[in-house]
Coordinates of all heavy atoms in Angstrom, one line a residue:
S9 N 5.5 2.8 -10.7 CA 6.3 1.7 -11.1 C 5.6 0.3 -10.8 O 4.8 0.3 -9.9 CB 7.6 1.7 -10.2 OG 8.5 0.6 -10.4
G10 N 6.0 -0.7 -11.6 CA 5.4 -2.0 -11.5 C 4.0 -2.0 -12.2 O 3.8 -1.2 -13.1
G11 N 3.1 -2.8 -11.7 CA 1.8 -2.9 -12.3 C 1.0 -1.6 -12.1 O 1.1 -1.0 -11.1
Y41 N 11.3 3.3 -13.1 CA 12.7 3.4 -12.8 C 13.5 3.6 -14.2 O 14.6 4.1 -14.2 CB 13.2 2.2 -12.1 CG 12.9 2.2 -10.6 CD1 12.0 1.2 -10.1 CD2 13.4 3.2 -9.8 CE1 11.7 1.2 -8.7 CE2 13.1 3.1 -8.4 CZ 12.2 2.1 -7.9 OH 11.9 2.2 -6.5
A73 N 6.7 0.9 -15.8 CA 7.5 -0.1 -16.5 C 8.2 -1.0 -15.5 O 8.4 -0.6 -14.4 CB 8.5 0.6 -17.4
R74 N 8.6 -2.2 -15.9 CA 9.6 -2.9 -15.1 C 10.9 -2.5 -15.7 O 11.0 -2.1 -16.9 CB 9.4 -4.4 -15.3 CG 7.8 -4.8 -15.3 CD 7.5 -5.8 -14.1 NE 6.2 -6.0 -14.2 CZ 5.3 -5.9 -13.2 NH1 5.7 -5.4 -12.0 NH2 4.1 -6.3 -13.3
C75 N 11.9 -2.5 -14.8 CA 13.2 -2.0 -15.3 C 14.3 -3.0 -14.8 O 14.6 -2.9 -13.6 CB 13.4 -0.6 -14.8 SG 15.0 0.1 -14.9
F78 N 17.6 -1.1 -13.3 CA 17.7 -0.5 -11.9 C 18.0 -1.6 -10.9 O 18.4 -1.3 -9.7 CB 16.3 0.1 -11.5 CG 16.3 1.0 -10.3 CD1 16.9 2.3 -10.4 CD2 15.9 0.6 -9.1 CE1 16.9 3.1 -9.3 CE2 15.9 1.4 -8.0 CZ 16.5 2.7 -8.1
I79 N 17.9 -2.9 -11.3 CA 18.3 -4.0 -10.4 C 19.7 -4.0 -10.2 O 20.2 -4.4 -9.1 CB 17.8 -5.4 -11.0 CG1 16.3 -5.3 -11.4 CG2 18.1 -6.6 -10.0 CD1 15.3 -5.7 -10.3
R84 N 21.5 2.1 -11.1 CA 21.2 3.0 -10.0 C 22.1 4.1 -9.9 O 21.8 5.3 -9.5 CB 21.2 2.3 -8.7 CG 20.0 1.2 -8.6 CD 19.8 0.7 -7.3 NE 20.9 -0.1 -6.7 CZ 21.1 -1.4 -7.1 NH1 20.3 -2.1 -7.7 NH2 22.2 -2.1 -6.5
G103 N 4.0 2.2 -6.3 CA 4.1 0.9 -6.9 C 3.8 -0.3 -5.9 O 3.1 0.0 -5.0
G104 N 4.3 -1.4 -6.3 CA 4.1 -2.6 -5.4 C 5.4 -2.8 -4.6 O 6.3 -2.0 -4.5
D105 N 5.4 -4.0 -3.9 CA 6.5 -4.3 -3.0 C 7.9 -4.3 -3.7 O 8.9 -3.9 -3.1 CB 6.2 -5.5 -2.1 CG 6.1 -6.7 -2.9 OD1 5.7 -6.7 -4.1 OD2 6.3 -7.9 -2.4
G106 N 7.9 -4.8 -4.9 CA 9.2 -4.7 -5.8 C 9.7 -3.3 -5.8 O 10.9 -3.0 -5.5
S107 N 8.8 -2.4 -6.3 CA 9.2 -1.0 -6.5 C 9.7 -0.3 -5.1 O 10.6 0.4 -5.2 CB 8.0 -0.2 -7.0 OG 7.5 -0.8 -8.1
T109 N 10.9 -1.9 -2.6 CA 12.2 -2.6 -2.2 C 13.3 -1.9 -2.9 O 14.4 -1.6 -2.4 CB 12.2 -4.1 -2.6 OG1 11.1 -4.7 -1.9 CG2 13.5 -4.8 -2.2
G110 N 13.1 -1.6 -4.2 CA 14.2 -0.9 -5.0 C 14.4 0.5 -4.5 O 15.6 0.9 -4.4
L113 N 16.5 0.3 -1.2 CA 18.0 0.0 -1.7 C 18.7 1.2 -2.2 O 19.8 1.5 -1.8 CB 17.9 -1.2 -2.7 CG 19.3 -1.7 -3.2 CD1 20.1 -2.3 -2.1 CD2 19.1 -2.7 -4.4
Ligands
LIG1 P1 5.9 -4.3 -8.1 O1 6.5 -2.9 -7.7 O2 4.5 -4.0 -8.6 O3 6.0 -5.3 -7.1 P2 8.1 -5.4 -9.6 O4 8.3 -6.3 -8.5 O5 8.1 -5.8 -11.0 O6 6.7 -4.7 -9.4 O7 9.1 -4.2 -9.4 C1 9.1 -3.0 -10.3 C2 10.5 -2.5 -10.5 O8 11.1 -2.2 -9.3 C3 11.4 -3.6 -11.1 O9 11.2 -3.6 -12.6 C4 12.8 -2.9 -10.7 O10 13.2 -1.9 -11.7 C5 12.5 -2.4 -9.4 N1 12.9 -3.4 -8.4 C6 12.2 -4.4 -7.9 N2 12.8 -5.1 -6.9 C7 14.1 -4.6 -6.9 C8 15.2 -4.8 -6.1 N3 15.4 -5.7 -5.3 N4 16.4 -4.0 -6.3 C9 16.2 -2.8 -7.2 N5 15.2 -2.7 -7.9 C10 14.1 -3.4 -7.7

Side-chain angles (χ1 to χ4, degrees):
S9 173
Y41 287 115
R74 314 243 182 237
C75 171
F78 198 78
I79 308 270
R84 294 192 293 275
D105 59 338
S107 305
T109 304
L113 177 65

